[in-house]
Amino acid sequence: MPQAFVSRDRIRSLFTEAMSQMYRAEVPQYGTLIELVADVNAGCLEKDPDLRDRLARAGELERIDVERHGAIRLGTADELFTIRRLFAVMGMQPVGYYDLSVAGVPVHSTSFRPIDEAALNVNPFRVFTSLLRLELIEDEGLRGEAEAILAKRRIYTPRAVTLIERHEQNGGLTKAEAMEFVAEALETFRWHGEATVSADTYKRLHDAHRLIADVVSFKGPHINHLTPRTLDIDAVQARMPERGITPKAVIEGPPRRHCDILLRQTSFKALEEMIAFSGDDGAMQGTHTARFGEIEQRGVALTAKGRTLYDQLLASVRGEVQVGDGGAKAGAYDDELAARFKALPDSWDELRRENLAFFRYSATPAGIAAAAGSTLPGDPEALIASGYLTFTPIVYEDFLPVSAAGIFQSNLGTDQQQNYATRSNRDAFEAALGATVQDELALYAERQAASLDSALEALGLVGLPLKTVA
């Protein structure tokens, strides 16, 4: 009899836990951060029963403590191609294209994550995965040297590649194979304190851009951060110093609101870690700054209309108020951000009626009971007003390029902003990936439409359009 395969969701959960344990051992402050976030989340749920109920109805309450995202930076097209295959074993697909070069960071990226609602509720782990854009290195000699260094390295163990191939050929992995796969895959993300380059080469790469040095100088793409999800990022930001953690000055993303939107992120400063450089006369000691801890607070996913408004409001603030790392500048930025964002409605119903955000619809017990004995209104808005149809926010599962660039810059220990002449190159990214990245807005729209169809069917109504304010 053939052995049963382990579900991709289970493999993803095993990998998430193994990654978390590894990172806690490598970066002890991350463990402290996890404890702080757990304390803040427990307090939020205790003080706000409505929030607890909403999370429970949406199937999110159980996943708060397991929610993580990580980030890695790759150097070559081959590395990106294989990471897509590796994440596929865990049920994670590339969603979204992010060009960070427009914000002065020489990479473009995607997010590998589960896409269907059931898989997200089991474990929503996602990895923000960036590919270095070597063509943005202006020094031709240094660019060629970086290409040669990266061409020599192999970031996946031979056994990991074998197990990926077995998954592709057989359609799954057995329990024993899954456990082995997690152990082998973890090696790709492990920290290595020995650089593969000399101190001189490292300095030249570092002078071109600190992120270039981080990608090119090591045996593999060490995980540079993991991220727990908090229900109150402002409280975590304020309490980090109590735990001996130094936060970055500005929370990236939208301001604090009653109705959370998209993604807010902050982090603690990256560690300065001892490394050994290679050389003909033996290893030379030096330091490298790359790995840090991040916290995220997730809100509702915005529609294309909502994203356009969000982007306009954010750009208007960043264009006029300097996002410095000092307290006074941070305070001025936060105040101006809150003032500008008053233009974006801060109630769930307004966001829904104005087609600014995505929601999950469900029939209420009262509606199902009413449907059994009478004819219900033929308009979803009337059903909502009657208490027969309800809605909950669909959580944003993706990323924001400006926020990602802000986190990267802060934790590379620099505010350097380089203006790269080359801009978006999605075609080259997808060619390296060997696949088309999925459109995150289309995924949210599909979930909203499917939930409405299911809710109307439960009420004995089929095919009603969702009317929204234009």
Side-chain angles (χ1 to χ4, degrees), residues 193-228:
E194 304 82 28
T196 57
V197 301
S198 67
D200 176 69
T201 299
Y202 176 87
K203 183 179 185 304
R204 288 186 287 114
L205 293 167
H206 187 277
D207 289 346
H209 197 288
R210 293 192 179 204
L211 186 141
I212 296 173
D214 182 59
V215 175
V216 176
S217 303
F218 296 90
K219 296 177 182 178
H222 40 257
I223 190 83
N224 58 69
H225 68 267
L226 284 181
T227 309

Side-chain angles (χ1 to χ4, degrees), residues 91-360:
M92 299 162 68
Q93 300 181 37
V95 179
Y97 172 77
Y98 307 91
D99 177 25
L100 273 63
S101 71
V102 298
V105 181
V107 300
H108 45 184
S109 315
T110 192
S111 168
F112 287 94
R113 67 169 178 87
I115 61 171
D116 68 72
E117 192 167 9
L120 285 165
N121 284 340
V122 170
N123 186 318
F125 184 65
R126 55 186 81 78
V127 179
F128 190 78
T129 302
S130 300
L131 176 64
L132 179 63
R133 297 183 65 179
L134 287 168
E135 76 273 15
L136 298 182
I137 301 177
E138 294 181 356
D139 184 327
E140 291 186 11
L142 185 62
R143 186 191 316 143
E145 192 172 352
E147 289 174 345
I149 293 167
L150 290 169
K152 293 177 183 177
R153 76 177 187 178
R154 298 292 179 268
I155 67 172
Y156 307 103
T157 70
R159 184 58 179 164
V161 174
T162 296
L163 290 167
I164 292 170
E165 292 170 347
R166 186 167 299 175
H167 178 273
E168 292 170 342
Q169 292 163 3
N170 297 344
L173 296 177
T174 65
K175 181 178 179 180
E177 289 170 342
M179 297 296 290
E180 188 179 10
F181 168 79
V182 168
E184 293 291 334
L186 204 63
E187 293 303 310
T188 296
F189 302 86
R190 193 178 298 281
W191 169 252
H192 298 282
E194 304 82 28
T196 57
V197 301
S198 67
D200 176 69
T201 299
Y202 176 87
K203 183 179 185 304
R204 288 186 287 114
L205 293 167
H206 187 277
D207 289 346
H209 197 288
R210 293 192 179 204
L211 186 141
I212 296 173
D214 182 59
V215 175
V216 176
S217 303
F218 296 90
K219 296 177 182 178
H222 40 257
I223 190 83
N224 58 69
H225 68 267
L226 284 181
T227 309
R229 176 183 173 185
T230 183
L231 299 173
D232 188 345
I233 200 168
D234 299 278
V236 174
Q237 175 91 341
R239 290 172 57 181
M240 276 199 278
E242 299 172 8
R243 306 286 180 108
I245 302 173
T246 303
K248 71 185 298 294
V250 173
I251 295 173
E252 300 287 347
R256 184 181 183 95
R257 295 163 46 89
H258 173 67
C259 298
D260 295 327
I261 60 171
L262 297 174
L263 174 66
R264 302 180 72 203
Q265 297 168 274
T266 189
S267 64
F268 65 69
K269 295 292 187 179
L271 307 175
E272 185 170 332
E273 301 179 275
M274 295 300 298
I275 59 171
F277 295 107
S278 64
D280 296 334
D281 55 350
M284 178 184 298
Q285 292 295 314
T287 61
H288 178 67
T289 303
R291 300 190 302 160
F292 56 96
E294 185 176 290
I295 312 97
E296 64 179 31
Q297 181 172 347
R298 291 190 173 268
V300 68
L302 297 186
T303 62
K305 179 182 176 182
R307 276 301 301 267
T308 297
L309 179 55
Y310 168 82
D311 290 341
Q312 290 172 347
L313 294 173
L314 184 68
S316 72
V317 180
R318 296 179 74 92
E320 295 183 17
V321 182
Q322 185 177 0
V323 188
D325 214 28
K329 290 180 180 178
Y333 175 79
D334 289 341
D335 291 345
E336 188 62 27
L337 192 70
R340 299 286 177 95
F341 267 80
K342 289 179 180 178
L344 199 156
D346 198 13
S347 83
W348 297 125
D349 196 49
E350 284 183 276
L351 288 169
R352 184 190 63 81
R353 287 188 294 104
E354 295 187 27
N355 193 29
L356 294 169
F358 292 106
F359 292 87
R360 182 182 186 277

